[in-house]
Amino acid sequence: MSTTNDDFPTDRPAVVTCGLPYANGDLHIGHLRGYIGADAFSRALETLGQETAYVSGSDMHGTPIAVNAEQEGVDPEDFALEWHEQYAETFPKFNVEFDNYGHTHDETNTELTREIVRTLDEEGYIYEKEIQVAYDPDADQYLPDRYVEGTCPYCGAKARGDECDEGCQRHLEPGEVEDPKSTVTGNPAEYRGRTHKFFEVSEFADFLTEFLDGLEGTSNARNQPRQWIEEGLQDWCLTRDMEWGIDYPNGDNETTEDIVLYVWVDAPVEYISSTKQYAERVGTDEYDWRRVWEDDGEIVHIIGRDIIQHHTIFWPAMLEGADYNTPRAVAATGFITINGKGLSTSRNRAIWANEYLDEDFHPDLLRYYLTTTGGLQQDVDFSWDAFQEKVNGELVGTVGNFWYRSLLFAYRNYEGTPETDVSEEVSERIEGAIGDTREAVNDYSLRDIGQAATQLAQFGNEYIQRNEPWKLTDDDPERAAQVIRDCVQIAKAVGVLLEPIAPEKAQHLWEQLGETGDVADAHLEDALEAPPRTFDEPGELFAKIEDDRVDELNEKLAERVAAAGGDEDEGEGEETETETDDTTTDESTAMADTDALEPLLEDRIGFEDFQELDIRVGRIESAEGIDGADDLAKLEVDIGFETRQIVAGIKQLHDLGELPGEKCILLANMEPAELFGVESNGMILAAGDEADLLTTHDAAVIGEKVQ
RNA sequence: AGCGGGAUGGGAUAGCCAGGAGAUUCCGGCGGGCUCAUAACCCGCAGACCGGUAGUUCAAAUCUACCUCCCGCUACCA
């Protein structure tokens, strides 16, 4: 370990994986970024001449699937399989071609997972411990992971049973979450003692530190786990009280019936299982999966940044403990935003995989966009406008145009590739691009892989323009042939170099050049090999995206988000800055010492600004506390036109039973918000920390405007 | 308030890990050229004291410390 790795290509077999798709819902552009990225990277490795397998599989276990299946009243296996099949059908449509795509519930993975756990057990890395497990007395069942919600013991945020997903992002061990509540019945859960299996991750701290020192990929995948190690590693509970999953192996062939392995135990093992399935299909002479996983192969994981911990702590520790090879690289991608805002499936602010396909855009366009916009670990914004700009500018204008003009010129004047050698200037330039590509792969930079190709095409445009062969065909036919010969070579080179990113388009070019076979099988050197002497009339490979098309797409998206109750207003929220200048004070009624009061704002607002506030008189119809919140109460408030549900932070400050019937003053055009899962549609006005409710003293009518 | 990511010409981005030439590329603006090509392509011009302050150094966009601001997820909503 920790010695410097040889550059790709090496003489060892490599495996590239993407994070396992969780068989629980539709795929969107955020998922696609990972699968396409890993696909492109594995293709690029092959172009370098590296022997590579690209494998993955659906992640079938875990509580979310169990919970969702239960809600739909179907078997978890059927539920997950249905998604699994849908995924398997979707990937090829994006030219994501796995050498093997399995799933975690299949025989191979079940066996291999048990075997690895058995080994860890034999090696003494697993021990038993009784822990407190949340239990729902009403439903008479234990509540692993997401069957339970509560409070994070570290940061106090609301957390799921397995992870502080909204707060500090920490992985939570069973029994850690405080104030547990059952997600099955909503009732408070109680903790009961149960015996579970633990993996001694803490024993691997030194190993992991060294492992991280030698780990390639993105920096976030190295730095984040270092902090966790410094803070002290906790042992990892491997088992759960539930039925859906892989039974814990006991002894030789026995399994323990009432506990299963935690989903994150068997999920990464699928990387190995899937590789194994691939090797068994093509023959282990063809691809030596044991060498990869048990000896010295190159393992590259491309994942989302939300699962760094699993891939840089638990997984390498498992591999090391069971005497397997550990990853060479973990590359963690950033997230995708849509029009500058966070992708949100619940708000339907997302570009869905099927939606993209229904719009009939070529998959390679999206591949190009997702891999070359921003660095791998950067968050990348998607908008149809940017998509159009990128496609029209770079793919149509630069690459497509160069391909077409070169081949067309060559076809018309020479019926193919002119018979002469490539000039030195051009072959050197192509070699430069080859070098850039090699470097980009070794930097795990997909963007640079794409850029090497695009920039070569740009050079091609420049070259043909500078030499003006259309002027030379009559005056200096030899020179003209030379220039076109060069251009055809550049075109071919661009195809070879762009194949990882845009495989299908590159293949079309390949065929236009009269090449046989697949461009996917071409290696870097082939960029310098002459294309066939003759080829047919070429066609345009990329089409422009028109403006009205983009308008249409933007509208569709906006409508959809609005329909899902989104917030496309935001307008001009003129946040008045709370100047802490002590603009002196108030002469108000009460006895408060002014130091304790919030200073008056200096900025004045106009009457128009005030008019934007729709303040109304309302009457509280009902009030009840919100479970789990100290202060929040859910109110139903009659405002004349309608009754609004409003969340207010007054639970402890008022006797909720006395509120119904009370008049109150509220801001009616407050942007809706969600608190503790409860929608709040307006804001009750109250004074100070004691939430002294504002009201009217005379006969104001419900719904009347305050001005 | 917590966690994460940022701040580079009008917009978007690279360079930062391994400090040193005129700070990259794309879009947009302005001017010119070409006509083989999808009103494409090529050339030129304008435009950035690389968020701020202090430090390390012969040398800082790049390293260190502090600060400010932005974005995402989250948010006990007055």
Side-chain angles (χ1 to χ4, degrees), chain A residues 10 69 85 112 169 318 393 406 444 480 504 532 539 579 631 646 687 690:
Chain A
T10 69
E85 278 153 25
L112 194 56
Q169 310 281 335
M318 272 174 71
S406 304
Y444 302 89
E504 200 173 333
E579 293 281 34
D631 286 339
I646 295 177
E690 293 305 309

Side-chain angles (χ1 to χ4, degrees), chain A residues 185-425:
Chain A
T185 60
N187 294 328
E190 52 189 58
Y191 277 123
R192 290 195 177 181
R194 293 277 292 171
T195 300
H196 277 275
K197 307 284 187 177
F198 280 77
F199 177 43
E200 287 184 316
V201 179
S202 52
E203 291 292 304
F204 291 85
D206 291 342
F207 163 76
L208 288 170
T209 303
E210 204 182 320
F211 164 76
L212 289 170
D213 287 342
L215 187 67
E216 297 181 356
T218 52
S219 58
N220 51 357
R222 275 189 300 278
N223 298 336
Q224 225 166 309
R226 281 202 182 110
Q227 282 183 359
W228 293 324
I229 294 173
E230 275 170 34
E231 289 167 13
L233 292 173
Q234 305 237 339
D235 290 343
W236 191 39
C237 183
L238 294 182
T239 46
R240 293 294 186 270
D241 293 289
M242 60 188 292
E243 283 177 14
W244 178 235
I246 295 178
D247 291 336
Y248 188 87
N250 251 359
D252 287 332
N253 279 318
E254 312 253 312
T255 55
T256 308
E257 281 181 12
D258 51 351
I259 55 172
V260 298
L261 286 163
Y262 179 44
V263 58
W264 270 108
V265 177
D266 63 82
V269 174
E270 172 66 13
Y271 297 143
I272 308 180
S273 305
S274 196
T275 316
K276 184 180 174 192
Q277 286 171 342
Y278 167 64
E280 284 171 353
R281 204 177 59 243
V282 298
T284 43
D285 301 337
E286 177 74 19
Y287 187 87
D288 188 351
W289 74 274
R290 286 190 187 277
R291 178 163 184 200
V292 175
W293 286 102
E294 296 177 358
D295 192 3
D296 62 356
E298 317 284 10
I299 301 165
V300 177
H301 294 307
I302 293 177
I303 60 170
R305 77 152 113 93
D306 48 335
I307 51 176
I308 288 176
Q309 183 175 25
H310 305 94
H311 287 79
T312 56
I313 302 283
F314 300 144
W315 176 231
M318 272 174 71
L319 288 168
E320 174 71 8
D323 207 21
Y324 276 78
N325 185 19
T326 50
R328 166 172 173 152
V330 174
T333 67
F335 293 148
I336 295 281
T337 57
I338 306 288
N339 290 326
K341 293 180 188 175
L343 185 152
S344 164
T345 53
S346 60
R347 285 183 186 152
N348 212 349
R349 195 201 337 271
I351 308 293
W352 301 96
N354 288 328
E355 174 192 18
Y356 178 88
L357 294 169
D358 288 346
E359 294 294 346
D360 223 26
F361 288 119
H362 195 279
D364 287 357
L365 307 185
L366 185 67
R367 291 175 64 98
Y368 184 78
Y369 186 94
L370 291 179
T371 50
T372 63
T373 310
L376 193 63
Q377 66 174 320
Q378 234 56 52
D379 286 358
V380 162
D381 186 53
F382 181 92
S383 68
W384 289 112
D385 293 281
F387 180 71
Q388 179 200 31
E389 187 180 301
K390 196 111 175 123
V391 168
N392 289 359
E394 296 172 34
L395 292 178
V396 180
T398 304
V399 176
N401 183 237
F402 175 69
W403 277 348
Y404 185 54
R405 73 196 296 203
S406 304
L407 299 213
L408 188 62
F409 201 104
Y411 166 75
R412 281 182 187 160
N413 292 279
Y414 311 96
E415 293 166 329
T417 313
E419 285 182 279
T420 175
D421 287 336
V422 176
S423 72
E424 196 159 319
E425 179 191 358

